[in-house]
């Protein structure tokens, strides 16, 4: 089945530094990748949609200069949280759309803690 | 962002009992999806529904796509301890379009 590998699974960083999260589709080409943020005991909230080779589309209220998304290939998308602050601490999850697959495959998530 | 109303918010049931949860929306979706999320993990797809009125099963799980396209339900029969987790519904308007998630149903199963 389709697998999306997400790394790292957890990261602790100091306030003001940047963190990069990677998502790789291992056995399919993801033309579209979605990035979500999930706070404790809450649902997944879509942050942005990225298509390979083009700029990401951000949801309302999500700062595009703070959450940099790169989707340079059909198998790799990255999310960089720049100048992280404690309020950015959350669970970040990516999902990939395999053409013809109607249920997107999710990564295992990254727990980000900013101290 | 928009979220779908999912109920109940949480359930505490005994092993062997059946479970039912539903999801409602103010807008129409063309695809309904049901996911299960374990702690510290990403959601895993359980069932996908593509047509209004469709009833689909996956083992002990059964889900239906509401005829109005604005709701869906998920049933779990004869629950077991590994059914514990958070269940999310999600709606989508078209292929490759974004998902709108429900608020989640937290399921606890006691022996």
């Amino acid at each position: 089945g389709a697998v999306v590998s997400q790394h790292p699974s957890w990261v602790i960083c100091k306030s003001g530094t940047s963190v990069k999260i990677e998502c790789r589709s291992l056995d399919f080409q993801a033309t579209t990748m979605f990035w979500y943020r999930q706070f404790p005991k809450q649902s997944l909230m879509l942050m942005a949609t990225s298509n390979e080779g083009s700029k990401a589309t951000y949801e309302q209220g999500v700062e595009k200069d703070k959450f940099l998304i790169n989707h340079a290939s059909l198998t790799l998308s990255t999310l960089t949280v720049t100048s992280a602050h404690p309020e950015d601490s959350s669970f970040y999850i990516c999902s990939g759309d395999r053409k013809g697959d109607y249920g997107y495959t999710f990564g295992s998530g990254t727990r980000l803690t900013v101290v | 962002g928009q979220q779908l109303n999912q109920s109940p918010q949480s359930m505490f049931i005994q092993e062997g009992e059946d479970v039912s949860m539903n999801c409602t929306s103010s807008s129409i979706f063309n695809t309904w999806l049901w996911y299960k999320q374990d702690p510290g993990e990403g959601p895993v797809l359980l069932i996908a529904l593509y047509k209004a009125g469709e009833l689909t099963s996956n083992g002990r799980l059964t889900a239906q796509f509401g005829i109005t396209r604005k709701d869906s339900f998920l049933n779990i029969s004869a629950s077991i301890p590994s059914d514990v987790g958070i269940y999310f519904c999600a709606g989508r308007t078209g292929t490759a379009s974004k998902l709108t998630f429900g608020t989640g149903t937290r399921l606890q199963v006691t022996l």
Side-chain angles (χ1 to χ4, degrees), chain A residues 31-45:
Chain A
T31 53
T32 304
M33 279 276 197
F34 302 91
W35 286 93
Y36 297 83
R37 182 167 49 184
Q38 185 179 31
F39 292 106
K41 297 188 177 181
Q42 293 188 21
S43 186
L44 286 76
M45 296 301 294

Side-chain angles (χ1 to χ4, degrees), chain A residues 5-76:
Chain A
S5 176
Q6 185 172 345
H7 293 281
S9 56
W10 61 270
V11 59
I12 301 173
C13 72
K14 289 186 177 181
S15 187
T17 61
S18 295
V19 173
K20 179 184 284 188
I21 301 170
E22 285 190 355
C23 263
R24 294 182 182 272
S25 54
L26 298 185
D27 49 2
F28 69 98
Q29 293 183 328
T31 53
T32 304
M33 279 276 197
F34 302 91
W35 286 93
Y36 297 83
R37 182 167 49 184
Q38 185 179 31
F39 292 106
K41 297 188 177 181
Q42 293 188 21
S43 186
L44 286 76
M45 296 301 294
L46 181 66
M47 298 174 66
T49 302
S50 73
N51 292 297
E52 184 263 338
S54 62
K55 289 185 179 180
T57 302
Y58 290 82
E59 294 299 299
Q60 191 173 9
V62 178
E63 300 174 59
K64 63 178 181 180
D65 295 329
K66 180 172 185 59
F67 298 99
L68 301 179
I69 292 173
N70 184 284
H71 193 166
S73 77
L74 288 172
T75 58
L76 175 63

Side-chain angles (χ1 to χ4, degrees), chain A residues 38 43 59 97 102 104 107, chain B residues 3 37 92 95-98 102:
Chain A
Q38 185 179 31
S43 186
E59 294 299 299
D97 170 39
Y102 293 95
Y104 303 139
Chain B
Q3 281 190 325
Q37 185 179 29
R92 188 173 69 186
T95 57
S97 63
K98 61 185 180 182

Side-chain angles (χ1 to χ4, degrees), chain A residues 85-102:
Chain A
H85 291 286
E87 56 266 29
D88 298 323
S89 298
S90 187
F91 193 55
Y92 292 86
I93 314 172
C94 64
S95 73
D97 170 39
R98 183 178 58 178
K99 191 174 182 180
D101 179 14
Y102 293 95

Side-chain angles (χ1 to χ4, degrees), chain B residues 11-64:
Chain B
M11 302 182 72
F12 293 83
I13 62 169
Q14 286 192 326
E15 184 179 9
E17 290 184 351
D18 297 343
V19 173
S20 183
M21 60 190 77
N22 64 66
C23 201
T24 59
S25 169
S26 58
S27 55
I28 289 173
F29 291 105
N30 294 324
T31 302
W32 280 92
L33 305 164
W34 284 91
Y35 289 89
K36 178 175 182 279
Q37 185 179 29
D38 291 327
E41 298 289 332
V44 174
L45 180 67
L46 299 174
I47 292 180
L49 303 159
Y50 308 126
K51 294 181 181 179
E54 178 182 353
L55 185 71
T56 298
S57 293
N58 177 9
R60 294 179 295 106
L61 279 60
T62 302
Q64 184 158 31

